Amino acid sequence: MTALHNIAGLRADQRFTDSDHWATHGAQWASGESRHIECLSVVDETHDVKTFTFHSPAYHALAYEPGQFLTVSPVIDGASVSRCYTLSSTPTRPFTFSITVKRVPGGTVSNWLHDNLRPGHALAASGPAGVFTPVAGPARKLLYLSAGSGITPLMAMTRAAADLHADLDIVFVHSARTPKDIIFREELARLERGMPQMRTLFFCESQGDEPDWHGPLGRLSLETLQREIPDFKDRAVFTCGPKGYMDATKALLAGAGFDLARYHQESFDIGAEPEPAPLTPGQAQDTFTVRLARSGKTFTMRADQTVLAAARQAGAVVPSSCSQGVCGTCKTALLEGNVEMKHNGGIRQREIDKGLRLLCCSRPTSDLVVDL
Ligand code: FES
C-alpha cells in the first residue's frame, strides 16, 4: 500500500465500506422527506431497460452509499404511487444520480416511467435509503451475483470501487435471459479492462438472436461456481435479483458449505404481513390511543395493527412504499410510547436510538405520540 492510497486517514478500500465517507459526498435528505427531482436524460440500456438520470435542484450533490435506493412517487391516474429503485449511479459522482428500470408486464410504475418520463420532467422522490451496501459486509474479496435488473446495486458498487481505485478483488457474475438482455454489458467489459482484480462472467439462459455468443449457457450451478471461482468460499457475497434467483443462489451456497454470515442480499420482494382480520363480536383485543403531534389527530388502534395502517385509516397521509420494513420511506419519530418493530433492514440502529421507527412494521405496546 503506498502513501497515495492514504487520503484523510483511510485507504480507498476502507472508504468504500465507510458510511461516514459516503455521507460527506453531498447533501442528505432528511429521513422520510420527499423532494422533487428533475429528469435530465433517458437512455436505452436494452430493449426493455432504461436509465433515467436526475438531479435535485435543491442540492448541488446527493450523498448516498453505493447500493442504496430511491423511492419515486409519480402521480398515475390522479394517485401518487411509490416504488423503490436502486440507484445504479455511483455516489463518487454525486451531482447527478440514476435509476435503471426494467419494463415489467403489469408494472404500474415501471411502465409509466418508460412511457412518460422525459428530460425536464419533475418527480417526487424520497430516500436514499437501504442497507444493501458495502458497509453491510466489509471485505476485500467480493463475489457479486445478480440476475436481470438486480444488476443495478452491484453496478453502483463496481462503479464506486473503480472511481475510488479501491484495492478490491471483485468477481461479478450476472445472469440474463439472452445476451441482448445483459444490462451494462459494454461498461462492465470496460471496467474489467481498467480494474486488474475484477472479472466478469455472464450466464445466459439461451443465445437468443446472438449465435456468436460463446459465454456459458444455462443457470449458475455449484459445478460452474467451483470451476470458475474456486475461491468463492473466501469471498463476501452480495446477491440481487428476483426472489426465485436469490433463494436458489442462497441454497446453492449453503449447500456448498459457504459461511452465510458473509452472504448479503437485496430484495423488495419479501412477503408483506397481512393486516389482521376484523374482530369478531365479543373477541377481546388490546387497544391504544395514538396522537399525531403535527396534525393534532387522535385515534384508537388495535395492538395487532401496524401504526401505518391505523394512521391511514384515521385519515393521515403517511408516505410509504414497500410496507415491509425494507425501504425506510415510512420512517417517523416516535415522540412518546413504545412499539414492537419487526423490520427488514430499512432502519439503522443509530436511527432507532434517536427515536425513529418504521411505522409499516411497528405495532403499539402502549399509547403513542407520533411525529406526524
Ligand atoms: Fe418501506 Fe415502511 S414503507 S419501510
Side-chain angles (χ1 to χ4, degrees), residues 320-330 358 360:
S320 73
S321 177
C322 68
S323 295
Q324 301 161 32
V326 176
C327 72
T329 309
C330 64
L358 299 178
C360 69

Side-chain angles (χ1 to χ4, degrees), residues 288-294 297-299 301 307 332-340 352-357 359 362-372:
F288 296 104
T289 301
V290 180
R291 183 162 64 83
L292 305 183
R294 292 191 204 195
K297 262 188 185 90
T298 300
F299 58 90
M301 69 175 289
V307 181
T332 305
L334 180 62
L335 303 174
E336 285 176 29
N338 294 301
V339 293
E340 188 184 41
I352 297 171
D353 295 344
K354 278 189 200 158
L356 294 167
R357 297 292 182 272
L359 300 189
S362 292
R363 292 176 170 77
T365 55
S366 74
D367 291 343
L368 307 176
V369 181
V370 183
D371 189 19
L372 277 175

Side-chain angles (χ1 to χ4, degrees), residues 238-261:
F238 285 73
T239 306
C240 187
K243 186 173 183 315
Y245 167 82
M246 291 195 296
D247 288 349
T249 303
K250 191 173 180 182
L252 185 150
L253 290 167
F258 181 83
D259 175 8
L260 291 178

Side-chain angles (χ1 to χ4, degrees), residues 28 46 55-56 63 77 80 100 109 113 116 119 134 140 154 168 186 192 194 198 205 214 227 250 270 294 307 332 360:
Q28 285 185 305
T46 69
H55 75 152
S56 170
D77 296 333
S80 171
T100 299
V109 177
L113 291 170
N116 296 284
R140 207 190 74 74
L154 304 171
L168 297 170
E186 283 170 22
E192 189 176 18
M198 180 197 166
E205 285 174 28
H214 295 304
R227 186 182 65 237
K250 191 173 180 182
I270 301 162
R294 292 191 204 195
V307 181
T332 305
C360 69

